[in-house]
Amino acid sequence: MIGENYIHFYDIDSTNNYLKNNWRNLPSETVVRASVQNSGYGRKGNHWSSELGGLWYSVLFKPKSRPLNPWHYVRVFSLAIYDTLAKYSINAKIKWPNDLLVNDKKICGIVGESIITGKVPNAIIVGIGINVNNDIPYHLKNYAVNLKSLIDKEVSVEKIMNEINHKAYNSYYLRYLKEKSVSVITKKWLKVLNIKINDEVTLINLNEKKENVFIEKITPDYLEVIDIDGNIKKIYAGEISVRKSGGK
Ligand code: BTN
C-alpha cells in the first residue's frame, strides 16, 4: 500500500532529497511528507515554493518488475490527483506531461526521478506538490491557484493525500503491475490532457527561446511536432516547456 510506511517532518529541505538520501533503508511505497520545505524543487531544478498549508510529499518505489519507466509512476499520480480533484467538483486538466491545471492555472506539479546504479532503476521517486490551503505568492497569482479558493473552504492536506494515495494504488498502480494495461491507462491520460493532435503550441527551451509548432502525435514519452517549415521533430518531456499558443 502506498503510505503504509509514512514519515512526516514539520520542515525539511525537500522530501525528494530525503528519499534520495535514504531510499536504501526504506521499503517500496514509503511516503514522506513535510509541512514546509526550505529547498523544494521541481522539474529542471526550478525552485518550488512550499509554504505551510500546501501538500508537499514524495513517494518511493523500488520496482522489482515492470513498469520501470519513471513516467508511468508519475502518470499514476497525475491520474489519481485528477480523479481526487473531481471528487471536490474540480474539473482539472493534465498539462503535458504531468502538471495539473485548473482554468489554466497550476494547482499541482509532479516531478519523477530515478536512481540508477545498474541498467534499470533501483528506485523511483515521485515528488508531488499541491496548492491546497497555502497562500499563493503574489508574483505567481496569474499562474497558480489553490484548492481552498476554488471550493471556498480549507481541506486537511493529510486527508487529500490519503485519498490520492488510495486512488493511485487501487485504480492505477496495481493495474500497471498486474495487467497489460499500460496502454489503457495511457489512453485515459491522453483524454484528460490539455493538448490534442493538431493544436498549435509554443515550445520554450531552457534559454526561454520560443517557437510555435503544431502537434502531430502525443505519446507517453514524447510529442511529435511540425514546425512552420514543415520539419517534424520529437520533443521529450523535461527538455522543453510546452504551452498552448495564446495560453499561460
Ligand atoms: C514541477 O512542477 O516542476 C514539480 C514540482 C514538484 C514539487 C514537489 S513538493 C514535494 C516534492 N519535494 C520537492 O522538493 N519537490 C516535490
Side-chain angles (χ1 to χ4, degrees), residues 14-16 37 40-43 48 56-58 99 106 109-111 127-129:
S14 147
T15 53
N16 267 40
Q37 294 183 120
Y41 61 87
R43 284 194 306 284
W48 180 263
W56 325 123
Y57 77 106
S58 305
D99 290 340
K106 186 153 160 168
I110 310 179
V111 62
I128 297 157

Side-chain angles (χ1 to χ4, degrees), residues 184-196:
V184 176
I185 290 170
T186 299
K187 261 191 206 148
K188 165 149 189 189
W189 172 77
L190 285 171
K191 242 171 76 186
V192 297
L193 270 186
N194 70 329
I195 47 172
K196 304 263 171 288

Side-chain angles (χ1 to χ4, degrees), residues 85-136:
L85 290 174
K87 267 182 58 185
Y88 290 85
S89 308
I90 305 289
N91 182 17
K93 285 268 175 221
I94 298 179
K95 177 175 180 271
W96 186 86
N98 48 37
D99 290 340
L100 280 103
L101 306 181
V102 179
N103 302 329
D104 277 342
K105 293 184 177 179
K106 186 153 160 168
I107 191 162
C108 166
I110 310 179
V111 62
E113 301 188 80
S114 335
I115 294 172
I116 302 176
T117 51
K119 276 197 178 137
V120 293
N122 296 95
I124 288 169
I125 296 163
V126 181
I128 297 157
I130 307 183
N131 298 316
V132 180
N133 307 312
N134 53 306
D135 291 328
I136 303 294

Side-chain angles (χ1 to χ4, degrees), residues 63-227:
K64 289 199 177 64
S65 59
R66 62 189 286 281
L68 298 175
N69 179 340
W71 287 107
H72 291 302
Y73 293 82
V74 167
R75 189 155 313 128
V76 159
F77 283 94
S78 6
L79 287 169
I81 295 164
Y82 174 89
D83 292 343
T84 304
L85 290 174
K87 267 182 58 185
Y88 290 85
S89 308
I90 305 289
N91 182 17
K93 285 268 175 221
I94 298 179
K95 177 175 180 271
W96 186 86
N98 48 37
D99 290 340
L100 280 103
L101 306 181
V102 179
N103 302 329
D104 277 342
K105 293 184 177 179
K106 186 153 160 168
I107 191 162
C108 166
I110 310 179
V111 62
E113 301 188 80
S114 335
I115 294 172
I116 302 176
T117 51
K119 276 197 178 137
V120 293
N122 296 95
I124 288 169
I125 296 163
V126 181
I128 297 157
I130 307 183
N131 298 316
V132 180
N133 307 312
N134 53 306
D135 291 328
I136 303 294
Y138 185 74
H139 66 284
L140 294 176
K141 287 232 187 287
N142 285 335
Y143 306 99
V145 67
N146 61 14
L147 183 62
K148 177 174 80 171
S149 67
L150 294 169
I151 60 172
D152 247 357
K153 63 171 186 214
E154 297 212 346
V155 191
S156 143
V157 290
E158 248 181 0
K159 178 170 182 277
I160 300 216
M161 182 184 72
N162 292 337
E163 287 169 350
I164 293 168
N165 291 344
H166 186 263
K167 189 88 206 162
Y169 189 71
N170 292 300
S171 300
Y172 300 110
Y173 179 62
L174 286 182
R175 292 174 67 192
Y176 260 136
L177 294 179
K178 277 193 191 143
E179 302 162 23
K180 292 193 185 65
S181 61
V182 169
S183 65
V184 176
I185 290 170
T186 299
K187 261 191 206 148
K188 165 149 189 189
W189 172 77
L190 285 171
K191 242 171 76 186
V192 297
L193 270 186
N194 70 329
I195 47 172
K196 304 263 171 288
I197 307 284
N198 294 331
D199 274 359
E200 185 178 3
V201 295
T202 308
L203 305 179
I204 306 170
N205 73 12
L206 290 175
N207 303 320
E208 294 292 310
K209 198 172 159 258
K210 296 186 181 171
E211 182 188 9
N212 278 20
V213 295
F214 288 90
I215 297 178
E216 290 264 298
K217 188 173 171 186
I218 304 173
T219 80
D221 302 317
Y222 64 86
L223 292 181
E224 200 170 279
V225 299
I226 181 159
D227 69 15

